[in-house]
Amino acid sequence: MNNRLDKMLAMNGRILNWKFVFLLGIIPFLTSAVTAEDRVRPRALAISPDQSCVVSANRIAGTLSCISLPDFQRLGEVEVGSEPLDVLWLSDSMVAVTVHRDQCVKLFERDGSHLKSLRTIPLVGHPVSMVYAKKADELLVSLQHPDSVHCINPGTGKVLRKYPCGNLPRFLALSPDEAWFCLTCELPGSLYCIDRNTSQLLSRQEAHQSAFNLGQPELISPHEVVVPLTINRDFPITEGNITRGWVVNNRLAKFKVPSGNELEQSQFGLDVRGHGVADLTLVRSNPSGSRLAVAASGAQEIILLKTNSLIWPASGVDDFAPHYLTETSDVLTRIKIPGRPIDLEFLDDETVLVANEMQDSLCQVDLKTGSIIKELKLSHSDHESEIARGERIFYDGLRSKDGWMSCHTCHYDGHTSGQMFDTLNDVTYDTKKLTLSLHDVAKTEPWTWHGWQPDLTESMSKSLRETMHDPHPASLDDSRALASYLETLKPISATKLPVSVDREAGRKLFYGKAGCISCHQEPDFSSGLRYAVGRVESHSIYQVFNPPALRGVSSRRRYLHHGRAHSLKQVLTLYHRPEETSGAELTEDEIEQLVNFLSGL
């Protein structure tokens, strides 16, 4: 009996040992399956001129994927760097990609089924988008921090011209004759038109009302451009105001170009009562010009509009889409694309390719039937990590009341839209606050401008409940996932200053005479404490503030809780003077030195 028992125990031991070895073998696989690197996140796509393949710029994976057409087969993938945002074919065999955080444009040559690196073009600034002037062989690139557009010879990598522009330039469109280009800029939301050869500013047209998050523009005629945008309606964020369309509107705006007057612009909304279309990212015209396709990324839709049926009002914009859009057959069609349709290109009048960012896929959509014909997954894993789930919630407009906005709407790609909103977070009306950047937010507790929130997960729960008015019951898992995603958000690297600029003098002022270090302490140049610094609304119940972190401060364009400062110099000379906080009065030269130091953090 004992021998039999011993044999059974020995056998069970061997089984347990085998299972243990098996588990040890698969643990690395399971661990790799839940890492953040499994997020691919295609942000932009481009179809080759001969329509033989499509490439996608994958924002989180830091890669380019190459897929054959029309069979939709994966050809290959190549690493490009940190946060590629745009991709463009310069010929049937040459591809350019903007690598935002690495501050460069990279060129690749297609060699059969492979992409081979040609050259890296370093830039002073963080590139966003591109257009290509084929006749002149010039690549135009929009850059942020500092803000400008660069004209580059792709063959030599030489910067030929630099065009000054407005704050936070993003998206470009080139005129058919390549003589001029237009550019969307934030803060304030404006459209710039610039002569490509002379660098002359042809027009600057500010969008009516407080427009922000201007998307990819589309030239619908030689003298008209359509831009998707969001309007800040400037009312407190309550459930009733969201329902009325009084918090944000999602609209299309049409401008006369290149030398139009902003008073000639027209706008109409696309939000329907009870059905908002959060985060309009781009508009594209089909080859015949009969339809406009609008990507409503937060609402997870493609909106089709019949071009010759559109009425562009000269003045007066309603809070909702005009009645004729929804009541007239075939003028407006909504196609559901679960995930986040962020970019699209037409294959023909009735077929588009879509980059579906939160699904980690490219898909081919039949616009007649509104169905996805083909879909290619770019991720190598079907597992969704907590970080990935939090990111999906962050960009999901359907997690807000009636789908009008997402977390991304106000915190653009986890940073800031630079807008003022009254979220009632301080329990009072008419105390609007500047939207804070979420870069490094997990390291800089406590949270909110007044620092009254000690728990980041609870802060996420409150935001879903009381700011987004989430129609889904926000679970603790949702809040934890959002907090996990926020932990991945890192500041934009510091502005590159000329070698001649001496940052040491500013550093000494920061730690000494200016007294900044009293509240903005290393390593993040923030503090877990709250300070009375004045500048508080008379009816506010909070008299103290938690200092925001200064890492990457040069990537913002508005400062302080009231948003009145539009530069670091204004912070130090008008609204937050050292002598009124914890330091001494500075000379003009010292102010300049301190700004130089802050710009390099």
Side-chain angles (χ1 to χ4, degrees):
M1 183 72 173
N2 289 338
N3 289 339
R4 186 179 176 186
L5 181 60
D6 289 343
K7 288 180 180 178
M8 289 176 65
L9 290 173
M11 182 178 293
N12 287 339
R14 286 195 296 271
I15 291 172
L16 288 172
N17 286 337
W18 176 84
K19 287 181 177 178
F20 182 67
V21 171
F22 173 75
L23 285 172
L24 284 178
I26 68 169
I27 282 173
F29 171 76
L30 292 174
T31 303
S32 66
V34 299
T35 57
E37 284 70 23
D38 286 322
R39 295 178 295 146
V40 177
R41 304 312 192 226
R43 173 52 67 94
L45 60 78
I47 300 170
S48 62
D50 62 5
Q51 292 206 333
S52 66
C53 69
V54 57
V55 290
S56 70
N58 305 319
R59 181 176 60 92
I60 297 298
T63 61
L64 281 183
S65 294
C66 188
I67 294 95
S68 63
L69 295 175
D71 57 341
F72 229 44
Q73 297 297 311
R74 189 195 305 268
L75 295 177
E77 191 170 1
V78 61
E79 292 187 5
V80 297
S82 182
E83 203 168 354
L85 293 185
D86 196 15
V87 61
L88 184 67
W89 288 91
L90 307 186
S91 68
D92 284 332
S93 60
M94 188 180 295
V95 178
V97 57
T98 59
V99 191
H100 186 68
R101 287 184 179 257
D102 289 347
Q103 302 182 51
C104 66
V105 168
K106 291 190 175 181
L107 300 181
F108 293 85
E109 183 177 38
R110 182 185 173 194
D111 182 12
S113 61
H114 302 286
L115 292 173
K116 183 174 65 176
S117 177
L118 282 180
R119 68 179 57 85
T120 296
I121 303 173
L123 299 167
V124 180
H126 297 73
V128 179
S129 69
M130 303 173 287
V131 291
Y132 180 53
K134 186 175 181 179
K135 299 173 192 173
D137 189 26
E138 292 180 354
L139 188 63
L140 303 180
V141 184
S142 65
L143 291 101
Q144 299 176 351
H145 330 307
D147 301 329
S148 63
V149 175
H150 284 193
C151 176
I152 299 169
N153 182 308
T156 64
K158 182 180 179 182
V159 176
L160 305 175
R161 290 181 295 279
K162 295 181 182 179
Y163 309 93
C165 61
N167 287 327
L168 296 176
R170 284 198 181 126
F171 301 109
L172 293 152
L174 184 64
S175 67
D177 62 2
E178 301 182 0
W180 52 271
F181 63 91
C182 55
L183 169 74
T184 61
C185 294
E186 302 286 318
L187 299 174
S190 304
L191 183 76
Y192 282 69
C193 290
I194 301 171
D195 187 289
R196 185 180 62 80
N197 293 303
T198 67
S199 304
Q200 178 187 357
L201 177 64
L202 302 175
S203 65
R204 174 194 173 276
Q205 302 179 61
E206 187 173 331
H208 290 159
Q209 298 192 13
S210 299
F212 66 108
N213 290 357
L214 277 65
Q216 175 67 52
E218 177 78 349
L219 282 159
I220 59 171
S221 78
H223 299 290
E224 293 176 315
V225 66
V226 175
V227 182
L229 44 78
T230 305
I231 298 293
N232 182 354
R233 297 284 278 110
D234 213 27
F235 287 86
I237 302 180
T238 65
E239 189 170 3
N241 284 342
I242 294 173
T243 302
R244 298 181 187 95
W246 288 359
V247 174
V248 296
N249 287 167
N250 299 289
R251 300 180 185 174
L252 293 184
K254 185 175 72 171
F255 298 88
K256 300 284 186 182
V257 288
S259 301
N261 186 301
E262 65 182 34
L263 297 178
E264 299 177 280
Q265 72 180 273
S266 303
Q267 295 182 10
F268 64 80
L270 290 176
D271 302 296
V272 177
R273 188 180 295 275
H275 188 157
V277 288
D279 300 334
L280 305 179
T281 58
L282 89 164
V283 57
R284 293 268 192 254
S285 179
N286 67 353
S288 68
S290 62
R291 296 268 183 180
L292 292 179
V294 185
S297 63
Q300 304 178 33
E301 293 179 346
I302 293 174
I303 301 171
L304 289 180
L305 298 168
K306 195 173 182 180
T307 308
N308 61 11
S309 298
L310 297 180
I311 301 169
W312 294 90
S315 62
V317 183
D318 293 332
D319 298 318
F320 302 100
H323 290 296
Y324 79 91
L325 283 181
T326 54
E327 295 174 357
T328 307
S329 176
D330 199 36
V331 177
L332 182 148
T333 305
R334 299 182 188 277
I335 298 174
K336 192 67 180 172
I337 309 290
R340 190 177 189 236
I342 186 72
D343 194 12
L344 64 85
E345 293 282 354
F346 278 91
L347 282 171
D348 55 48
D349 265 2
E350 301 295 343
T351 314
V352 293
L353 284 180
V354 178
N356 194 343
E357 191 171 29
M358 289 302 122
Q359 289 292 94
D360 282 335
S361 70
L362 300 184
C363 54
Q364 188 171 326
V365 181
D366 185 326
L367 300 179
K368 281 185 176 179
T369 62
S371 59
I372 296 175
I373 307 168
K374 299 177 183 177
E375 185 171 22
L376 179 65
K377 285 283 188 179
L378 300 178
S379 175
H380 300 292
S381 171
D382 291 328
H383 179 88
E384 184 176 58
S385 67
E386 185 176 64
I387 289 172
R389 183 162 173 261
E391 183 182 28
R392 182 162 50 81
I393 294 170
F394 184 87
Y395 285 96
D396 189 356
L398 303 182
R399 297 302 297 258
S400 72
K401 173 69 176 174
D402 295 340
W404 285 78
M405 58 189 178
S406 68
C407 303
H408 158 83
T409 304
C410 302
H411 299 279
Y412 192 93
D413 276 346
H415 197 16
T416 172
S417 63
Q419 294 295 305
M420 304 284 295
F421 290 104
D422 187 358
T423 65
L424 309 182
N425 191 271
D426 58 1
V427 203
T428 56
Y429 278 87
D430 198 28
T431 50
K432 294 184 292 184
K433 301 290 192 301
L434 178 65
T435 303
L436 282 162
S437 171
L438 299 180
H439 289 171
D440 262 355
V441 67
K443 297 180 179 179
T444 55
E445 71 277 1
W447 292 280
T448 76
W449 272 106
H450 296 297
W452 67 268
Q453 191 90 51
D455 185 278
L456 186 58
T457 299
E458 173 54 32
S459 179
M460 295 300 97
S461 296
K462 187 177 188 300
S463 293
L464 288 171
R465 289 192 317 265
E466 300 178 20
T467 300
M468 306 298 290
H469 297 278
D470 189 349
H472 308 82
S475 68
L476 182 59
D477 285 345
D478 288 343
S479 302
R480 285 172 175 164
L482 262 176
S484 293
Y485 169 63
L486 296 190
E487 289 177 8
T488 71
L489 301 177
K490 304 303 177 188
I492 299 292
S493 59
T495 299
K496 292 180 180 177
L497 299 173
V499 179
S500 58
V501 174
D502 178 16
R503 293 186 62 234
E504 181 60 24
R507 189 189 73 80
K508 289 179 179 178
L509 289 167
F510 185 92
Y511 286 87
K513 183 178 179 181
C516 309
I517 193 63
S518 299
C519 303
H520 297 276
Q521 297 152 13
E522 293 189 273
D524 302 299
F525 297 99
S526 182
S527 171
L529 302 176
R530 296 182 290 174
Y531 303 89
V533 292
R535 308 293 178 185
V536 182
E537 295 83 356
S538 58
H539 60 286
S540 175
I541 65 173
Y542 291 101
Q543 302 299 312
V544 292
F545 291 89
N546 176 244
L550 297 182
R551 288 284 183 197
V553 69
S554 62
S555 67
R556 307 164 205 167
R557 295 296 177 277
R558 292 180 79 177
Y559 302 92
L560 306 177
H561 78 282
H562 47 53
R564 292 173 194 155
H566 290 262
S567 68
L568 290 171
K569 186 173 183 179
Q570 285 188 358
V571 170
L572 297 170
T573 58
L574 296 178
Y575 304 109
H576 201 66
R577 292 186 287 267
E579 64 268 29
E580 294 178 357
T581 54
S582 57
E585 185 175 359
L586 304 182
T587 66
E588 286 191 20
D589 286 345
E590 288 173 331
I591 291 289
E592 194 68 32
Q593 291 165 354
L594 185 53
V595 167
N596 288 336
F597 173 74
L598 293 172
S599 297
L601 291 179

